[in-house]
Amino acid sequence: MGIRKGDITLRAKEALDNATQILVRTADAESAGSLAGYAYRTLDEVFKRSRNFDTLNKNLAAAVLDAAKTSDVCYCVDGAVCEDEACKIILKKHKDCEVLESVSKASHAYNTSRLTGSEVTCVSAYSVENLKSCRAAAVYDIDCEYVAGTVKEKLSYIFGEESTCYFVRGESVKKIKIYELDRQKTYDGTCAVAVQEGDFLKKERYDFADLEEMIKLLRAPGGCPWDRAQTSESIKGNMIEEAYELVDAIERGDAYDMEEETGDVLLQAAFHAVMSEEKGEYTSGDALTRLIKKLIFRHSHIFGGDKAASDTEALGVWEKNKRKEKGQDTYSDTVLAVPKGMPACMRAQKVGKRSAKCGMDFLSPVSASEKLAEEVGELLDACIKGNKDEIFDEAGDVLYSAVNTCRLAGVDCELALHTAVEKFTKRFVEFEKIATANGEKIEELDPSRWDYYWMLAKDAVKTN
């Protein structure tokens, strides 16, 4: 029926003239005035007996399909057929139904608001949770304050709560901020909102696509000379640096810094994706598609036939699927797959863990510590001999044996070493502070004074 009286098309009028029964979704819509002179039955009573929006649409569809069992039915809805959920249910069951469209609620909101963008996403307020990032949006069916609040939250996430939008009710339009969307005096079935993003450099909210657009602007002719000169090889170290800065913010429990550092990590990922797209290798869409498909495949205990009742079992399913996905048929394949760019301690633990899956491992941390003692002895012998190559080799064996001992004791070796270094750092700072406060120069201390101040520092750090 469209939005206003008179929106009905000539073809729709012809269908009405030939219909045995005419059913109208609601007589409350202004467009129902187009049916003056026709005998029709309104389905307003279905609204009263439906508990929620989903039930309403199912009941409306059931009423139309039941009536169609005995005669030809012309079902009239306000707005367009493509916007009506009950019509979608009917068309899914009866694809032979004829569809006669009219003015949509979304186009009415768009035109009334005088938006200028050509890329507009239209959605019912009752499905607004499915709305994704877009250039412009028209949301209809904002028939109550609660629904308006839901729409406000979604649009604030995409466009920013301070962004301007246009609140449409019937033929009236009001320019407001998105945060004011649930503060209007009246809501009914004609209410809608239209919004479009502002100039790129003045937007309130940005998404991953905007990040890529920014990188492309910086790398374009006339852009930033530094950004234009970079390659994946030249900035590979930045990813590690930014990841460590994010981890540092996490360890400090600083959500504000975590937000910033997460953005920096995403910047590195987007930078590599843009440069690879320039070379015709892959795009961020390719990378994200591969990621989602990988998550679906590896979570076969959620999306497939595997079962996992605990986090340990879930991890087992993940590892099984990962080996299958990567074609790792032997234990050696899994060991060789450990990235060489990992921190040495982390890589040692992962290599030891994967090689142990075939049964080649120490019986316990105690037996592993015996090997550690043996390697320490060999290192001392090498030191006595003064052979640098042998010392280097034996030092590596000591460190690897230490990792194995800790691994079998259930310790995250990378975290344990990091914690130990942090503990030493705090003690050393306190040690120098105490000694200096006593008029000592730490570089002139004898061993006994070193020990004395070190014990004071340990106690001070422990107390604090």
Side-chain angles (χ1 to χ4, degrees):
M1 298 187 296
I3 301 299
R4 294 157 295 198
K5 180 181 178 181
D7 280 348
I8 193 167
T9 65
L10 291 176
R11 289 188 62 213
K13 190 176 184 305
E14 182 181 351
L16 289 170
D17 291 338
N18 296 322
T20 305
Q21 284 193 78
I22 299 175
L23 300 181
V24 180
R25 181 177 184 270
T26 176
D28 292 336
E30 181 187 337
S31 56
S34 299
L35 301 179
Y38 290 98
Y40 63 82
R41 176 163 66 92
T42 177
L43 298 182
D44 283 322
E45 56 86 17
V46 177
F47 286 75
K48 299 176 182 179
R49 60 181 172 83
S50 299
R51 296 189 304 275
N52 53 49
F53 188 68
D54 288 336
T55 302
L56 168 64
N57 290 314
K58 291 177 182 177
N59 290 340
L60 287 170
V64 174
L65 293 174
D66 186 59
K69 292 178 181 178
T70 57
S71 62
D72 291 336
V73 171
C74 187
Y75 178 46
C76 302
V77 299
D78 45 316
V81 173
C82 62
E83 295 173 332
D84 190 89
E85 296 300 319
C87 286
K88 294 176 184 177
I89 296 174
I90 294 169
L91 290 171
K92 187 174 182 180
K93 294 182 178 181
H94 295 275
K95 299 184 184 299
D96 57 339
C97 292
E98 184 177 8
V99 176
L100 302 172
E101 284 289 17
S102 186
V103 177
S104 69
K105 298 175 184 177
S107 64
H108 175 70
Y110 178 84
N111 293 327
T112 304
S113 303
R114 296 292 189 267
L115 295 189
T116 57
S118 59
E119 303 173 26
V120 184
T121 301
C122 306
V123 64
S124 167
Y126 287 88
S127 302
V128 74
E129 69 276 5
N130 298 322
L131 183 64
K132 298 182 179 180
S133 295
C134 54
R135 302 295 186 189
V139 184
Y140 50 90
D141 291 336
I142 306 178
D143 53 13
C144 67
E145 183 180 346
Y146 173 78
V147 172
T150 303
V151 175
K152 178 189 75 173
E153 290 181 8
K154 189 65 175 182
L155 295 184
S156 294
Y157 177 79
I158 296 175
F159 297 97
E161 63 178 15
E162 291 284 346
S163 293
T164 297
C165 66
Y166 297 89
F167 181 73
V168 177
R169 180 172 178 264
E171 295 303 310
S172 68
V173 59
K174 183 179 179 183
K175 186 177 180 181
I176 62 174
K177 299 292 187 180
I178 287 177
Y179 71 81
E180 298 177 297
L181 193 52
D182 58 350
R183 302 179 187 180
Q184 304 308 301
K185 292 182 178 179
T186 307
Y187 300 92
D188 57 38
T190 69
C191 291
V193 62
V195 58
Q196 66 183 19
E197 64 180 14
D199 294 338
F200 183 77
L201 298 181
K202 297 180 181 180
K203 290 174 62 174
E204 275 205 37
R205 298 277 295 179
Y206 295 94
D207 58 19
F208 193 81
D210 291 320
L211 174 58
E212 287 194 304
E213 180 64 22
M214 173 58 75
I215 295 171
K216 290 176 181 179
L217 287 173
L218 294 174
R219 286 178 61 81
C224 174
W226 185 89
D227 289 287
R228 285 173 53 80
Q230 301 315 303
T231 65
S232 290
E233 184 69 23
S234 70
I235 64 168
K236 64 181 181 182
N238 293 7
M239 176 62 84
I240 297 174
E241 179 182 334
E242 299 297 354
Y244 275 124
E245 290 182 1
L246 173 57
V247 170
D248 180 66
I250 293 171
E251 291 178 343
R252 288 186 281 107
D254 190 328
Y256 183 80
D257 279 1
M258 285 171 60
E259 177 187 43
E260 179 181 2
E261 300 304 340
T262 297
D264 289 344
V265 170
L266 290 174
L267 168 61
Q268 297 305 312
F271 215 138
H272 287 286
V274 168
M275 290 187 292
S276 292
E277 182 179 356
E278 291 171 350
K279 294 184 287 186
E281 295 172 341
Y282 69 87
T283 67
S284 62
D286 296 328
L288 291 171
T289 297
R290 183 171 178 177
L291 171 62
I292 298 300
K293 288 184 176 181
K294 177 169 66 177
L295 291 174
I296 293 171
F297 179 76
R298 293 190 186 180
H299 285 89
S300 56
H301 53 293
I302 303 296
F303 307 114
D306 287 323
K307 303 295 181 183
S310 67
D311 57 344
T312 302
E313 291 180 359
L315 182 60
V317 173
W318 173 279
E319 292 293 346
K320 178 200 72 172
N321 290 333
K322 182 178 180 180
R323 290 193 298 272
K324 182 177 180 181
E325 171 193 298
K326 293 184 174 297
Q328 295 173 349
D329 300 321
T330 66
Y331 293 105
S332 295
D333 289 336
T334 65
V335 171
L336 289 170
V338 178
K340 294 181 180 179
M342 273 186 172
C345 187
M346 184 185 296
R347 185 182 179 216
Q349 180 160 343
K350 190 169 283 288
V351 166
K353 184 178 179 180
R354 290 192 178 182
S355 61
K357 290 185 179 298
C358 71
M360 190 188 77
D361 201 5
F362 296 98
L363 296 176
S364 68
V366 175
S367 60
S369 67
E370 293 172 355
K371 180 63 175 175
L372 173 59
E374 177 186 325
E375 296 295 352
V376 169
E378 292 178 2
L379 173 59
L380 293 176
D381 289 341
C383 289
I384 293 172
K385 296 176 184 176
N387 186 314
K388 291 185 177 180
D389 291 339
E390 190 175 347
I391 292 172
F392 179 86
D393 187 55
E394 297 300 341
D397 290 343
V398 168
L399 293 172
Y400 189 65
S401 294
V403 168
N404 278 330
T405 302
C406 296
R407 172 178 59 81
L408 287 164
V411 174
D412 182 327
C413 299
E414 188 72 23
L415 179 59
L417 182 57
H418 172 79
T419 303
V421 173
E422 187 67 16
K423 180 170 62 177
F424 174 84
T425 301
K426 289 179 179 179
R427 288 176 178 177
F428 183 85
V429 171
E430 191 67 27
F431 156 80
E432 184 176 19
K433 184 171 71 174
I434 294 173
T436 302
N438 284 345
E440 304 264 25
K441 292 185 177 180
I442 62 173
E443 65 271 19
E444 296 177 358
L445 294 176
D446 60 40
S448 63
R449 299 297 285 170
W450 268 94
D451 291 341
Y452 170 70
Y453 286 120
W454 188 255
M455 293 304 296
L456 292 178
K458 286 178 64 175
D459 291 339
V461 170
K462 187 182 300 182
T463 301
N464 295 334

